[in-house]
Amino acid sequence: MATLDGFPASFYGEPGVLGMLANGISAFLVLLQNFNTARTGVSAEGVENILAGVHLILIGGVCQLIAGLLSFRKYDHLSGTAFIGYAALWGSYGATRIFLGASQPITTNLTMSHDLMSNTTPLTTLTTNLSLSAELWNSTSQSPDWLSLLLIPQSAIAGLVPYILLSFLLAFCSATVNVIMPFVFGAITLTLLFEAVAVGVSSAWPLVVSGILELLILLFAVYGSAALLVKGLAQRYVLKGFGTPLFNVLLLGTNSPAASAQSLGQEKKKNTKYAEPQALFFFCDTVSPFIMLFYSFGYGTSFSLGAVWVSIISAAQLLSSYYAHLRQDGYLVTKAGLHATYWLTKAWEEFVLSAVIVSEPEREVATGRQAMVGDWFFVAVALLLLVVSLSNDTLEVTHNALFLLLSVSTVPQIPLQGYYVFFGVSCSLFTSVSLYGTFCRLINSIAEKSLIPVGPQPISSDRLHSFLSCFRSPWKLQGALPSSSAASSPTNQIPDALFYLTNGVAALSALHAASSSQSMSFLRLSVPWVLVSGAVVQGFVSRLQVRGGQRFGSVIPSFYLSVWATWTWYRFAGPLLQISPVGSYGFTAGAIAFLVINAFLMLIVAMLAVFSVICLYGTLASLVNCTFRQSVMPMGPPLVKDVNQQQKSSAALPCPVADSRLTSGLLKISRLLDDGGVCGIPTDTVYALAASCKNPQAIENIYNIKDRPAEKPICICISSVEQLVAAKPPFSSLLWEFMRNVYPGGISCIVSKGDWLLRLGVGPAYDRVGTNDSIMIRVPDHTVTGHLCDITGPLAITSANPSGEPDSTHHDMVISRLGHKIQGVLCDGDSNEIVASTVVNCLKIDEGTISIVREGCVPAVKVRQIFERVKTSML
């Protein structure tokens, strides 16, 4: 039995309250420290900084992360991207505070009076202390490994600059949604700017200005939270600031022919279950390369804190991959997972180079680095991703081309003299395109059309499909992925490309280590390459496989996770722990097993090489098949057939079923409806139970089938507004214009009953649908439902679920729950939504008001925006 995919948007309240309060309280914490430092001239020290960092991570990071996750489920593109982005910012800033506090015990060994510190900022004081600490460290011949942890200001400024740029973009984009958020995000932008200025200015004034701005953030956040909280309680806007944008997003551009569906790559089904995560993906792809850019050009000698900043933003990038999986976007799942793996691996590799093996001989480090080959798998996958994206827009192709350049620039065989220059230039280009991509994707997602140009597609989808189809084998392949099989549906195959990708990187990274004995530098450098891709991201793939409902769930990726984690521990980390086989008898069995494995080293090398090639092909095939939702590239037939599945499929179904893609299927269901039957049918939201208005008894049967209370009315479904116009109902011009703006779609309108329903074809069912004086009308944006209504006439419909239970989002759910009570089901696979339509009461529309009876797939805010726009146009 299929299960509910998630909760409807209306179940989540107003996450903006939590998000803005998290921003306001976090700013208030920093405000207290800034004002205290500016007043006393003494910067925060030790435990004070550590506690501030912990509070920033918990409040600004974790709480705002929860708000961002809930915003994505409410189909709120802007809030989802902004809150998760700011969660990464506050989390990183909190980590910086903890680093500052942890360094304080070392700097307190230096004697310095408060008088000399009275005209300095905290970061300037820290820099002075660091320079003196360095002299003390060198004079006492202490280990420089700890000193590298103290070079914090350089890493912090490298992280603040991209957030300043991105925060400005968020402030601008939020002006197209409401009035409050631009002021909150704008104040955050200026605050980050002056916090960065405080690093290079030996004065207290940047801290004072920053504190004033942080006070404004708090005030705006408190008011905005109060406005959203009251709105959630009253179900309408009471306080000003929300519901009306500073300017209409449509003023930014027009939907030109160049931005049509043909120019945007392969057309996809509209999905309003979750917000679009592409803007968040580009957001993360702006921060990580910018931090690496600063480091590559010599701004800072240690990447300890930089690795933490990159790790936090990469975790946010994995969240964009997760929500792409929920939206069934296999291409973005793979791309976001690939980029997160790349940035995590490079960040911790640079950490190892700058902080762990800095004391080892330079020649040995260079030799160990040049022996690594894992980056070549990134190059190969980046090239495959570029080929697959040729049917997308120019922005996507350019972004993938620059990522290919980026992966080539980090090939370890490049001499060190030009390595970091090449890498820095590549990061500069990649950051610029990612910043533009963040703006484009966010504005276009908010407007739900292409306002900011992204360019035409270089190659049509059909041509790319034809080219890739040449890889077909003589195996018997289906033209389209079946929707009735849980194991082979597109949703369940989406994580496969990322699974092959992570295993390929880990295998190729471990390949050279298995071939011969390597230096300690090489072993240490190999740890992040195998551990990040083979264990960390593999765990993320395991989570996706569980949610996808695969037959083996997370067993296979979890097995590989264990393999690569164990490999890392014994092959690489073992020598670092200096485990002695003489003194550690508990490792005897493991040592013997390890000797047996080493006896077959040549076989292991060959297997790793073959495994890497298989993973490369698996990545390409899975990505192409998910992108086109067809078996374009062969994966081969199953080695063992599932007998239980065959028996299950051959078992008799409780009711007749029909295929929605076949005309004969529509005719079969229409005959059942005309004969007085009740059938399950797909709509543009969730599955519905339908009965013909020609048969009043069938409508009464719906109440018995669902155990539906008799006081709950049933609505009618028609194919188009034109069908309604032909009935000539006495609607006002305002109501007609509103209907033309919301139909067809996931909005149902309650209007007054009248004799026009008889002309519409309701006939004998007049007293069985709606209430005594009103009726709810649905015009689904669904081709199958529209054709069925054209054949049968108006249908009485209600959601296909037992009363009080979740809606049905797949025809299997209808069959398993109600199949023994109904006369047929029209099978159409997964529904477009997980929640029913939004119900709007239009009985008082002529008085200039509407009310939201039930918030469904279309947010209430959007409905009101449409109504206000229609009213304005009628003046």
Side-chain angles (χ1 to χ4, degrees):
M1 174 178 171
T3 58
L4 186 64
D5 230 5
F7 294 106
S10 56
F11 285 7
Y12 290 101
E14 292 293 343
V17 176
L18 179 61
M20 282 195 287
L21 278 180
N23 269 318
I25 297 174
S26 300
F28 182 69
L29 292 174
V30 180
L31 155 71
L32 295 178
Q33 281 195 342
N34 286 344
F35 278 171
N36 181 69
T37 302
R39 183 179 63 87
T40 64
V42 179
S43 60
E45 299 178 352
V47 176
E48 183 181 349
N49 259 328
I50 294 176
L51 290 177
V54 171
H55 281 84
L56 288 175
I57 291 174
L58 292 178
I59 299 174
V62 176
C63 291
Q64 197 159 199
L65 174 64
I66 295 173
L69 298 179
L70 296 180
S71 295
F72 265 104
R73 291 181 179 271
K74 279 186 69 72
Y75 195 63
D76 189 341
H77 310 288
L78 174 67
S79 297
T81 302
F83 290 151
I84 293 182
Y86 283 132
L89 167 64
W90 288 116
S92 302
Y93 199 68
T96 304
R97 291 286 182 176
I98 294 175
F99 267 65
L100 285 169
S103 67
Q104 188 61 37
I106 298 174
T107 60
T108 52
N109 292 328
L110 303 172
T111 58
M112 180 174 294
S113 66
H114 293 307
D115 294 336
L116 296 176
M117 297 170 60
S118 59
N119 292 323
T120 58
T121 63
L123 290 176
T124 305
T125 302
L126 176 66
T127 307
T128 304
N129 289 349
L130 292 180
S131 62
L132 295 176
S133 297
E135 295 176 4
L136 179 63
W137 219 279
N138 292 333
S139 64
T140 56
S141 302
Q142 298 289 336
S143 170
D145 294 347
W146 287 102
L147 181 61
S148 64
L149 295 176
L150 301 179
L151 300 176
I152 298 172
Q154 290 88 342
S155 299
I157 191 68
L160 286 177
V161 173
Y163 279 109
I164 293 172
L165 300 174
L166 290 166
S167 185
F168 173 76
L169 287 184
L170 290 175
F172 179 82
C173 294
S174 62
T176 66
V177 178
N178 55 59
V179 177
I180 297 298
M181 280 188 172
F183 291 99
V184 176
F185 297 160
I188 293 176
T189 305
L190 295 176
T191 299
L192 295 176
L193 179 62
F194 282 98
E195 288 283 346
V197 170
V199 177
V201 178
S202 299
S203 177
W205 70 265
L207 293 178
V208 175
V209 175
S210 179
I212 294 173
L213 291 170
E214 285 154 357
L215 181 60
L216 291 177
I217 295 174
L218 176 64
L219 295 176
F220 286 132
V222 169
Y223 176 81
S225 300
L228 286 177
L229 189 60
V230 172
K231 179 259 179 183
L233 296 174
Q235 290 299 305
R236 62 187 181 88
Y237 290 113
V238 177
L239 300 177
K240 302 290 185 180
F242 288 92
T244 304
L246 286 177
F247 66 90
N248 195 327
V249 67
L250 299 178
L251 297 177
L252 294 176
T254 57
N255 194 18
S256 62
S260 63
Q262 289 295 325
S263 66
L264 296 178
Q266 188 176 6
E267 186 177 357
K268 299 178 181 179
K269 293 173 69 176
K270 183 180 178 181
N271 189 322
T272 59
K273 297 178 184 178
Y274 307 96
E276 176 60 65
Q278 285 195 24
L280 177 61
F281 164 75
F282 278 97
F283 185 106
C284 300
D285 255 358
T286 304
V287 177
S288 295
F290 202 97
I291 296 174
M292 301 295 291
L293 161 67
F294 266 57
Y295 179 75
S296 298
F297 286 148
Y299 193 80
T301 58
S302 172
F303 204 67
S304 302
L305 185 57
V308 175
W309 280 67
V310 173
S311 298
I312 292 175
I313 197 64
S314 296
Q317 196 159 41
L318 286 178
L319 285 177
S320 70
S321 177
Y322 177 74
Y323 277 104
H325 175 255
L326 297 183
R327 289 175 59 88
Q328 302 182 16
D329 188 348
Y331 168 80
L332 187 58
V333 170
T334 306
K335 182 178 178 180
L338 168 67
H339 287 210
T341 305
Y342 177 82
W343 293 121
L344 280 172
T345 304
K346 295 306 297 181
W348 288 103
E349 181 192 43
E350 293 299 334
F351 166 76
V352 173
L353 282 170
S354 64
V356 177
I357 62 176
V358 66
S359 60
E360 296 186 9
E362 184 177 348
R363 177 176 296 181
E364 182 180 342
V365 174
T367 303
R369 180 179 169 277
Q370 290 178 358
M372 300 177 65
V373 294
D375 195 80
W376 287 102
F377 196 89
F378 278 119
V379 174
V381 174
L383 180 61
L384 297 180
L385 197 66
L386 176 62
V387 173
V388 173
S389 67
L390 290 175
S391 62
N392 288 329
D393 52 65
T394 305
L395 173 63
E396 196 68 29
V397 175
T398 304
H399 195 251
N400 287 336
L402 288 177
F403 183 76
L404 175 61
L405 176 66
L406 195 65
S407 59
V408 170
S409 71
T410 54
V411 170
Q413 285 71 37
I414 299 176
L416 281 176
Q417 293 80 3
Y419 174 86
Y420 284 106
V421 175
F422 188 10
F423 184 40
V425 172
S426 301
C427 285
S428 303
L429 298 174
F430 189 77
T431 302
S432 302
V433 175
S434 298
L435 188 64
Y436 180 75
T438 305
F439 177 64
C440 289
R441 300 305 188 198
L442 192 54
I443 287 294
N444 292 343
S445 296
I446 294 172
E448 295 190 342
K449 60 176 64 177
S450 185
L451 297 179
I452 308 301
V454 292
Q457 62 184 126
I459 299 177
S460 66
S461 301
D462 293 338
R463 290 184 60 185
L464 183 61
H465 182 279
S466 301
F467 169 74
L468 295 174
S469 296
C470 67
F471 292 97
R472 282 181 179 272
S473 71
W475 297 327
K476 184 178 180 181
L477 298 173
Q478 297 296 328
L481 296 173
S483 60
S484 60
S485 175
S488 58
S489 67
T491 307
N492 299 334
Q493 292 185 356
I494 283 174
D496 289 353
L498 192 56
F499 167 77
Y500 289 117
L501 188 154
T502 52
N503 280 298
V505 173
L508 199 60
S509 301
L511 175 62
H512 199 79
S515 63
S516 61
S517 178
Q518 294 293 335
S519 66
M520 186 63 66
S521 298
F522 174 78
L523 296 181
R524 291 176 172 177
L525 284 171
S526 300
V527 169
W529 283 87
V530 179
L531 194 62
V532 169
S533 59
V536 176
V537 183
Q538 193 79 247
F540 172 72
V541 175
S542 175
R543 175 67 183 92
L544 297 185
Q545 295 283 26
V546 170
R547 203 186 190 289
Q550 290 281 49
R551 182 182 296 114
F552 296 105
S554 63
V555 173
I556 295 178
S558 297
F559 169 76
Y560 279 101
L561 184 155
S562 302
V563 168
W564 295 122
T566 305
W567 178 284
T568 304
W569 179 262
Y570 285 105
R571 183 66 182 176
F572 302 137
L576 300 179
L577 300 176
Q578 298 179 351
I579 298 175
S580 173
V582 178
S584 303
Y585 296 103
F587 286 89
T588 302
I592 293 174
F594 189 74
L595 289 174
V596 173
I597 292 176
N598 276 272
F600 297 95
L601 275 181
M602 294 305 296
L603 179 61
I604 293 175
V605 172
M607 290 173 61
L608 286 174
V610 173
F611 186 67
S612 299
V613 175
I614 292 175
C615 287
L616 186 63
Y617 177 79
T619 303
L620 175 63
S622 299
L623 180 59
V624 169
N625 292 343
C626 286
T627 301
F628 290 97
R629 296 182 180 270
Q630 291 181 327
S631 296
V632 180
M633 301 188 67
M635 299 291 285
L639 297 178
V640 179
K641 294 184 178 180
D642 191 344
V643 179
N644 293 331
Q645 183 68 24
Q646 290 180 346
Q647 293 176 351
K648 182 179 178 180
S649 61
S650 60
L653 294 174
C655 66
V657 297
D659 193 337
S660 65
R661 295 172 296 180
L662 304 177
T663 303
S664 59
L666 284 177
L667 295 176
K668 179 179 180 180
I669 295 298
S670 66
R671 285 194 295 269
L672 291 173
L673 292 172
D674 288 340
D675 292 340
V678 176
C679 297
I681 64 170
T683 69
D684 56 343
T685 54
V686 295
Y687 276 80
L689 291 181
S692 174
C693 289
K694 303 172 185 175
N695 301 291
Q697 185 59 42
I699 299 176
E700 292 184 3
N701 291 340
I702 291 180
Y703 284 91
N704 298 326
I705 292 171
K706 289 192 53 171
D707 294 327
R708 184 181 177 89
E711 63 271 12
K712 288 188 175 182
I714 290 180
C715 71
I716 62 171
C717 174
I718 58 178
S719 61
S720 64
V721 177
E722 285 69 26
Q723 189 176 0
L724 192 61
V725 172
K728 298 180 179 179
F731 295 161
S732 66
S733 57
L734 178 59
L735 177 57
W736 277 118
E737 189 63 25
F738 180 70
M739 285 185 167
R740 289 190 174 94
N741 276 268
V742 299
Y743 288 153
I747 296 177
S748 302
C749 295
I750 298 177
V751 298
S752 298
K753 259 186 171 182
D755 293 340
W756 58 272
L757 283 172
L758 302 178
R759 296 190 294 271
L760 184 64
V762 172
Y766 184 91
D767 295 328
R768 303 297 199 284
V769 293
T771 63
N772 292 332
D773 55 359
S774 64
I775 183 70
M776 186 169 74
I777 301 175
R778 278 275 279 134
V779 183
D781 189 10
H782 198 275
T783 304
V784 172
T785 314
H787 283 316
L788 184 63
C789 289
D790 286 335
I791 297 173
T792 62
L795 295 174
I797 66 169
T798 184
S799 57
N801 58 292
S803 185
E805 294 189 12
D807 296 318
S808 297
T809 57
H810 193 279
H811 58 255
D812 286 341
M813 296 180 69
V814 182
I815 295 172
S816 60
R817 297 200 288 182
L818 300 174
H820 60 289
K821 295 182 178 181
I822 59 179
Q823 284 67 54
V825 174
L826 185 59
C827 300
D828 194 52
D830 290 318
S831 64
N832 287 346
E833 304 289 345
I834 60 172
V835 65
S837 63
T838 297
V839 180
V840 182
N841 188 339
C842 298
L843 294 176
K844 296 183 179 180
I845 193 171
D846 294 337
E847 301 175 12
T849 61
I850 59 171
S851 59
I852 307 299
V853 178
R854 180 187 69 195
E855 185 175 14
C857 62
V858 181
V861 173
K862 185 175 180 180
V863 175
R864 291 191 176 93
Q865 288 176 346
I866 294 173
F867 180 61
E868 293 299 328
R869 187 173 67 244
V870 170
K871 280 203 307 182
T872 304
S873 66
M874 297 294 291
L875 295 178

